[in-house]
Amino acid sequence: MKYMLVMRATDEAFALMANADFNEMIDTVGRFNDELIRAGVLLAAEGLADAAEGVVVDFSSEPPVVTDGPYGETKELFGGFYILNVASKEEAVEWAKRLPIKGPGFKTEIRRVTTIDEFPQDNEWIKKERAWREANGQL
């Protein structure tokens, strides 16, 4: 099963990270990522640029309104993610507990990633997506 670990942090926690030694942080995260790779569970991991560089497309009106960042409240933002292929939610939780960037103001949300098999297989769009995934080695 695939699970996404979504890393969240308060503004204060992000500010503390900005003061951390960058090379030390890369080494710490690199060691953790290496553990995930050696365990065979890492599918993807990415950090995200500052929310101030992003935009939001709000569909509350027509046409949609595009707003430059920063946007939303800190609790709505996340700074990066991992996607793991593990046997259970409990295993995903155990990996999340080992994340190296932690402390007051840091949280990790764990969500199961749905699979194409959970959708109606006779739907024409699901058939097209399945064919695309198969052609690209994703299934």
Side-chain angles (χ1 to χ4, degrees):
M1 287 183 278
K2 291 182 193 175
Y3 281 88
M4 178 181 264
L5 310 183
V6 181
M7 280 89 71
R8 300 180 183 277
T10 62
D11 289 337
E12 295 79 17
F14 275 129
L16 286 174
M17 250 177 55
N19 296 327
D21 179 87
F22 185 73
N23 289 324
E24 185 178 315
M25 186 169 47
I26 293 296
D27 286 344
T28 301
V29 172
R31 283 191 294 277
F32 178 71
N33 291 352
D34 189 54
E35 287 183 56
L36 294 168
I37 291 166
R38 285 187 284 117
V41 299
L42 182 63
L43 296 178
E46 301 293 343
L48 299 175
D50 189 294
E53 297 176 32
V55 297
V56 170
V57 178
D58 185 343
F59 297 97
S60 299
S61 65
E62 187 59 43
V65 175
V66 178
T67 306
D68 290 334
Y71 49 85
E73 297 179 37
T74 300
K75 66 182 181 185
E76 298 172 343
L77 304 178
F78 63 97
F81 67 89
Y82 284 89
I83 297 181
L84 307 181
N85 187 15
V86 294
S88 65
K89 179 169 53 173
E90 292 75 20
E91 185 178 354
V93 168
E94 289 307 312
W95 281 110
K97 287 179 180 178
R98 297 172 61 189
L99 282 164
I101 299 176
K102 52 189 162 191
F106 290 97
K107 293 181 180 181
T108 299
E109 178 182 347
I110 301 167
R111 304 270 303 271
R112 187 176 63 81
V113 177
T114 58
T115 69
I116 195 167
D117 295 330
E118 296 177 59
F119 294 91
Q121 298 303 298
D122 59 346
N123 179 283
E124 93 176 83
W125 297 108
I126 300 301
K127 288 178 184 179
K128 287 180 182 184
E129 182 176 336
R130 179 175 285 283
W132 175 81
R133 288 177 182 265
E134 288 171 352
N136 289 286
Q138 294 184 22
L139 285 180

